[in-house]
């Protein structure tokens, strides 16, 4: 029972994007987006490991309350089989931000330059 409660709480933290102010209108080129070129695992401050699948795209289609772009897509948490739809931050050329705008939960993790590809995505 404790494990089930912990998973529910963690899923709640993960799926709650930083509050958004407004959607970002799509330009003629499409949305800013990032794509992971290989499986990437990133650990937060505690014990959570976020897994980004190779080829997974995160699309910047909304702003956070603080004006930063949020890149939204699917990832898995702690080797769970069910992917979660969530939003992350990104600073070019290679910094992933978990929990953007979430105070002490926000964590910046630089990645190798070849792991993240900056692209445009039309929807």
């Amino acid at each position: 029972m404790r494990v089930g409660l912990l998973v529910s709480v963690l899923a709640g933290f993960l799926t709650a994007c930083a509050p958004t102010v407004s959607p970002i209108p799509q330009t003629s080129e499409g949305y800013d987006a990032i794509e992971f070129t290989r499986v990437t695992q990133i650990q937060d401050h505690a014990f959570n490991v976020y897994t980004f699948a190779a080829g997974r795209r995160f699309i910047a289609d909304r702003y956070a309350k603080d004006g930063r772009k949020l890149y939204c897509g699917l990832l898995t948490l702690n080797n769970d089989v069910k992917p979660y739809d969530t939003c992350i931050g990104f600073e070019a050329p290679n910094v992933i931000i978990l929990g953007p705008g979430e105070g002490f939960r926000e964590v910046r993790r630089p990645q190798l330059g070849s792991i993240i590809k900056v692209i445009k995505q039309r929807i």
Side-chain angles (χ1 to χ4, degrees), residues 14-78:
L14 179 63
T15 57
C17 285
T20 58
V21 172
S22 61
I24 297 174
Q26 182 171 209
T27 67
S28 59
E29 296 87 34
Y31 289 107
D32 288 341
I34 57 173
E35 180 178 275
F36 288 85
T37 61
R38 61 180 179 239
V39 174
T40 303
Q41 291 189 311
I42 302 173
Q43 187 164 356
D44 66 7
H45 292 300
F47 57 88
N48 294 309
V49 176
Y50 300 79
T51 303
F52 300 85
R56 185 74 72 198
R57 290 184 178 182
F58 281 70
I59 300 169
D61 63 353
R62 60 197 91 166
Y63 288 111
K65 189 180 274 189
D66 62 7
R68 288 188 282 183
K69 287 182 181 178
L70 293 174
Y71 290 75
C72 303
L74 296 173
L75 58 77
T76 56
L77 177 65
N78 299 329

Side-chain angles (χ1 to χ4, degrees), residues 34 42 52 68-71 87-92 94-102 105-111 116:
I34 57 173
I42 302 173
F52 300 85
R68 288 188 282 183
K69 287 182 181 178
L70 293 174
Y71 290 75
C87 299
I88 60 173
F90 173 71
E91 289 178 356
N94 65 350
V95 178
I96 296 298
I97 304 166
L98 302 174
E102 295 295 319
R105 290 192 317 214
E106 181 174 302
V107 61
R108 299 169 177 285
R109 296 289 189 244
Q111 303 300 303
I116 301 168

